[in-house]
Amino acid sequence: SAFEYINDHYYSIKSNHGILRPAERGEFTRRAFENGKMDLTEVEGLSDLLEADTALQRKQAINQMEGNMKIIFENWRNELIYALAHTEAVIDFGDDDRESDINDNAMW
């Protein structure tokens, strides 16, 4: 058809002049990651979605792409930071007379 002829010739002319080129595999995802549009867990979720064989795998990958894993990891990170701060406080001030102010219950 005329459309296919024009389409094929247009792209071949543009690509010969370096204006157009086919995207490399994963290029848009890499750019989204580099520009802060996707985080690593979302990129991994997209990869898992593309490789998924079952409905359950697709569902899990979509959950990961929607940021559910990021929320879990951020919660773990916050808990670890809090535990580290508590540990440092015990190390630094554990010998003080106010040791009763620093207890394990305050951490949780």
Side-chain angles (χ1 to χ4, degrees):
S1 77
F3 175 75
E4 290 174 353
Y5 176 81
I6 293 170
N7 193 33
D8 290 343
H9 283 16
Y10 176 80
Y11 286 116
S12 68
I13 291 169
K14 294 293 186 183
S15 64
N16 288 339
H17 297 300
I19 298 171
L20 296 177
R21 64 170 178 77
E24 296 174 16
R25 181 180 170 143
E27 181 175 354
F28 294 116
T29 305
R30 180 181 44 81
R31 286 184 180 188
F33 176 71
E34 289 173 351
N35 292 317
K37 303 295 184 188
M38 296 178 79
D39 65 27
L40 188 57
T41 60
E42 293 168 331
V43 171
E44 289 176 347
L46 177 58
S47 175
D48 291 347
L49 181 62
L50 295 173
E51 298 293 325
D53 294 325
T54 66
L56 188 59
Q57 289 173 330
R58 284 188 290 277
K59 182 179 177 182
Q60 176 62 30
I62 289 170
N63 283 335
Q64 189 170 346
M65 285 180 58
E66 291 175 346
N68 294 335
M69 294 299 293
K70 179 180 178 180
I71 293 168
I72 292 170
F73 293 150
E74 284 179 351
N75 287 338
W76 287 352
R77 179 181 178 271
N78 291 336
E79 288 180 21
L80 288 170
I81 289 171
Y82 191 81
L84 179 60
H86 176 75
T87 303
E88 288 179 3
V90 169
I91 290 169
D92 291 343
F93 305 110
D95 294 335
D96 290 353
D97 293 335
R98 297 173 42 184
E99 189 173 326
S100 61
D101 291 347
I102 303 172
N103 60 40
D104 290 335
N105 295 332
M107 188 167 73
W108 307 111

